[in-house]
């Protein structure tokens, strides 16, 4: 047999959770054709993996790379982590469908989501047109898509804070149907974000029933990750159970806010018990004690009604401002970061104006002091007005014990919860969360090698066969004959993340080779500028 590539002398960790073994791998036409002793042939490219681990390519089960691939399909920050498949359309956010009848809303939405100076060239309306367009652009890694509930609600009813009419409900179901038929793996919600946050459980359930017809999955950034974390996980369980969909995934699972630290014991117990009674609930996690999201998430959801312009009007009205402040400090009507962790733990990650962008990396408490002012709430309002409601933040809200407990959990996978960005250029603006660059190597280097919190085989299973099985990808996630050759070759002693909150634009190290569909994308740590990834479609 002739092979295109032979990976020789490596220690294979096959993704199943089994201990490593020694073998060569023969790759032909994009697939793994032989595992065993292989004689080198003249035609084949040889990768000498002596002293290295050879594992299936990593599957990032929670990615926002769909927002950056249209601008740069090289997936630099993720491919150098060994990620060969990105699962996108998370937290209710996706770039389709687009309702042409609400064009202005979408223009606004896309300009809010685009990095400064860049604009999306949106040529699609339906989900299937969108996936076809992404297929034309290509990508260095494989991409699997979910449909975002936020986008279909925006398409059907704009920023309205009310129940959908029967017609609007039907329209949302039609959008889901189109996406599922185009090959989406399920739906995602982000129930802290507007307009999604305006939807009650029944509405989400009704729409998820449409997903269930196609045997799809329900992913959720839950309604509350702090004082109502258990109730919010229960909402996922109810939606999965009553809709009959294939399974539910709790996105970037955490317990947020000091008052709730330790409660991962309860959340993991609930997940375990639910699985034991036959309802499939899984979760994912990024290995950092800070979260990251948009700055306007600090404000109560009602302030977003009607869209960003209305939000800014509210911030300029002193009476409304008092009401906003009260809701934020009281923190019972929504998940209030300010109430849960305080201004000193809310760090600015991206801003655009000259006046404020110098504060990227600082906490809002620090900015208040630096500006010689005493009311952080007033400072936030000024920032949001000047920045036209844009801007990002990181929030230090998690406890290390919870992080490790969740990481080791039986139902936990790994997700970056970031987009895929290059080291330089407009896409790399601000100080993004280091998870964009470091998530997978941080688990293998810091938590597995240094902290020894679990065996490497278990960690790799969480990054490969477990997410593949969850998605129903039967031909990826394992080193096995006839699987697609998505493969990572890395040095177990060297692999580590380099990105930090202060200096996030740093590639992880210790990963020598990354193969996607049998093509070398990273060779000796260098990107080959090729796009062998596929759009994976659910069958
Ligand atoms: Zn999220």
């Amino acid at each position: 047999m002739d092979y295109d590539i032979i990976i020789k002398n490596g220690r294979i960790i096959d993704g199943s959770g089994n201990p490593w073994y020694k073998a060569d791998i023969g790759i032909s036409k994009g697939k793994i054709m032989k595992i065993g002793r292989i004689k080198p042939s003249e035609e084949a490219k040889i990768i000498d993996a002596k002293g290295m681990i050879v594992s299936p390519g990593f599957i990032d089960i929670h990615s926002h790379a769909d927002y950056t691939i249209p601008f740069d399909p090289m997936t630099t920050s993720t491919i150098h982590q060994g990620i060969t498949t990105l699962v996108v359309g998370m937290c209710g956010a996706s770039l389709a469908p687009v309702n042409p009848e609400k064009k202005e809303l979408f223009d606004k939405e896309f300009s809010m989501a685009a990095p400064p100076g860049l604009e999306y060239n949106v040529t699609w309306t339906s989900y299937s047109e969108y996936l076809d367009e992404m297929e034309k652009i290509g990508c260095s890694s494989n991409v699997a898509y979910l449909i975002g509930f936020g986008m279909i609600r925006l398409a059907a009813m704009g920023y309205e804070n009310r129940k959908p009419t029967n017609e609007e409900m039907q329209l949302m179901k039609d959008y889901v149907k189109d996406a599922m038929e185009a090959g989406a793996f399920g739906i995602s919600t982000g129930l802290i974000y507007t307009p999604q946050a305006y939807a009650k459980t029944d509405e989400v359930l009704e729409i998820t029933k449409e997903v269930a017809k196609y045997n799809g999955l329900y992913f959720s950034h839950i309604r509350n990750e702090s004082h109502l974390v258990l109730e919010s996980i229960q909402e996922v369980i109810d939606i999965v159970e009553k809709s009959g969909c294939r399974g539910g995934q709790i996105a970037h699972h955490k317990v947020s806010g000091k008052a709730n630290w330790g409660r991962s014991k309860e959340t993991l117990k609930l997940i375990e018990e639910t699985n034991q009674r036959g309802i499939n609930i899984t979760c994912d996690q990024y290995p950092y004690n800070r979260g990251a999201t948009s700055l306007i998430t600090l404000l109560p959801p009602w302030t977003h009604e009607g869209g960003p312009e209305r939000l800014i009007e509210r911030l300029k009205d002193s009476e409304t401002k008092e009401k906003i402040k009260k809701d934020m400090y009281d923190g019972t009507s929504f998940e209030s970061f300010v109430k849960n962790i305080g201004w000193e733990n809310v760090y600015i990650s991206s801003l655009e104006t000259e006046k404020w962008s110098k504060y990227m990396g600082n906490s809002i408490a620090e900015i208040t002091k630096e500006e010689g002012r005493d009311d952080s709430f007033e400072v936030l309002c000024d920032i949001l007005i000047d920045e036209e409601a844009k801007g990002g933040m990181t929030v230090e809200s998690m406890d290390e014990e919870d992080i490790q407990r969740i990481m080791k959990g039986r139902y936990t996978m790994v997700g970056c919860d970031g987009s895929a960005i290059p080291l330089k250029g407009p896409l790399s603006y601000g100080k993004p969360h280091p998870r964009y660059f470091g998530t997978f190597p941080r688990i293998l280097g810091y938590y597995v090698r240094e902290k020894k919190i679990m065996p490497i085989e278990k960690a790799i299973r969480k990054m490969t066969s477990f997410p593949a099985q969850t998605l129903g990808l039967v031909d990826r996630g394992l080193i096995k004959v006839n699987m697609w050759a998505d493969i990572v070759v890395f040095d177990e002693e060297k692999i580590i993340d380099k990105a930090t909150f202060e200096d996030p634009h740093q590639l992880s190290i210790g990963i020598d080779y990354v193969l996607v569909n049998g093509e070398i994308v990273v060779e000796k740590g260098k990107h080959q500028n090729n796009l062998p990834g596929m759009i994976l479609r659910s069958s």
Side-chain angles (χ1 to χ4, degrees), residues 62 64 91 193 221 252 417:
H62 188 105
H64 291 286
C91 303
Y193 302 114
H221 176 156
H252 41 65
D417 193 10

Side-chain angles (χ1 to χ4, degrees), residues 27 62 177 185 253 257 307 318 515 538:
I27 296 163
H62 188 105
K177 182 170 184 279
F185 287 79
H253 182 36
S318 54
L515 280 72
S538 177

Side-chain angles (χ1 to χ4, degrees), residues 48-152:
D48 185 7
K50 197 168 190 308
M52 310 284 273
I53 300 291
V54 180
S55 89
F58 303 147
I59 298 173
D60 180 351
I61 194 78
H62 188 105
S63 173
H64 291 286
D66 42 344
Y67 281 76
T68 49
I69 289 168
F71 300 117
D72 179 355
M74 294 297 166
T75 66
T76 304
S77 57
T78 53
I79 200 87
H80 285 277
Q81 296 184 52
I83 293 165
T84 54
T85 297
L86 298 158
V87 188
V88 302
M90 292 295 162
C91 303
S94 60
L95 289 175
V98 174
N99 184 350
E101 285 165 28
K102 295 194 165 66
K103 193 170 176 306
E104 260 172 53
L105 271 187
F106 279 87
D107 287 347
K108 186 82 201 160
E109 188 72 16
F110 287 130
S111 83
M112 293 279 285
L118 297 176
E119 262 177 62
Y120 289 103
N121 177 24
V122 179
T123 55
W124 55 85
T125 55
S126 72
Y127 211 87
S128 46
E129 287 167 2
Y130 166 59
L131 290 193
D132 291 345
E133 197 57 38
M134 292 306 112
E135 212 145 51
K136 276 186 224 153
I137 291 173
C139 189
S140 290
S141 44
N142 303 307
V143 195
Y145 286 81
L146 303 181
I147 183 170
F149 173 57
M151 221 46 176
I152 63 172

Side-chain angles (χ1 to χ4, degrees), residues 252-253 283-287 402-403 406-407 412-415 439:
H252 41 65
H253 182 36
C283 65
D284 53 75
Q285 182 202 39
Y286 51 80
D402 284 318
I403 292 171
I406 292 168
M407 196 178 290
T412 310
M413 302 167 217
V414 184
T439 294

Side-chain angles (χ1 to χ4, degrees), residues 44-290:
K45 159 132 188 141
I46 307 291
I47 294 175
D48 185 7
K50 197 168 190 308
M52 310 284 273
I53 300 291
V54 180
S55 89
F58 303 147
I59 298 173
D60 180 351
I61 194 78
H62 188 105
S63 173
H64 291 286
D66 42 344
Y67 281 76
T68 49
I69 289 168
F71 300 117
D72 179 355
M74 294 297 166
T75 66
T76 304
S77 57
T78 53
I79 200 87
H80 285 277
Q81 296 184 52
I83 293 165
T84 54
T85 297
L86 298 158
V87 188
V88 302
M90 292 295 162
C91 303
S94 60
L95 289 175
V98 174
N99 184 350
E101 285 165 28
K102 295 194 165 66
K103 193 170 176 306
E104 260 172 53
L105 271 187
F106 279 87
D107 287 347
K108 186 82 201 160
E109 188 72 16
F110 287 130
S111 83
M112 293 279 285
L118 297 176
E119 262 177 62
Y120 289 103
N121 177 24
V122 179
T123 55
W124 55 85
T125 55
S126 72
Y127 211 87
S128 46
E129 287 167 2
Y130 166 59
L131 290 193
D132 291 345
E133 197 57 38
M134 292 306 112
E135 212 145 51
K136 276 186 224 153
I137 291 173
C139 189
S140 290
S141 44
N142 303 307
V143 195
Y145 286 81
L146 303 181
I147 183 170
F149 173 57
M151 221 46 176
I152 63 172
R153 203 178 201 271
L154 187 76
M157 39 192 308
Y159 293 105
E160 299 282 322
N161 184 1
R162 59 168 172 80
K163 272 171 85 164
T165 63
N166 288 344
E167 260 171 42
E168 287 162 345
M169 177 54 84
Q170 191 53 50
L171 185 54
M172 287 195 274
K173 285 185 174 182
D174 290 345
Y175 285 132
V176 170
K177 182 170 184 279
D178 173 63
M180 295 305 291
E181 283 177 358
F185 287 79
I187 195 170
S188 78
T189 59
L191 298 176
I192 67 163
Y193 302 114
T194 51
Q196 310 175 60
Y198 304 139
K200 303 272 188 304
T201 310
D202 282 352
E203 180 185 331
V204 182
L205 169 61
E206 197 54 34
I207 287 161
T208 308
K209 283 180 185 165
E210 200 62 33
V211 175
K213 286 184 191 163
Y214 296 87
N215 202 29
L217 297 163
Y218 175 73
F219 280 58
S220 186
H221 176 156
I222 58 178
R223 223 177 266 275
N224 186 304
E225 295 178 316
S226 54
H227 63 292
L228 297 175
V229 64
L230 270 187
E231 290 84 345
S232 300
I233 292 176
Q234 189 58 51
E235 184 183 25
V236 176
I237 296 168
D238 290 344
I239 288 167
V240 171
E241 187 163 14
K242 289 179 189 159
S243 71
C245 77
R246 184 150 55 94
Q249 175 102 351
I250 294 146
H252 41 65
H253 182 36
K254 62 175 80 72
V255 282
S256 179
K258 209 165 193 168
N260 305 298
W261 288 359
R263 295 189 66 193
S264 58
K265 284 182 200 148
E266 298 163 57
T267 62
L268 294 178
K269 186 162 169 266
L270 177 60
I271 294 170
E272 178 72 52
E273 286 168 357
T274 307
N275 277 284
Q276 277 175 11
R277 61 186 184 84
I279 311 297
N280 194 201
I281 300 292
T282 48
C283 65
D284 53 75
Q285 182 202 39
Y286 51 80
Y288 297 88
N289 69 348
R290 281 196 209 172

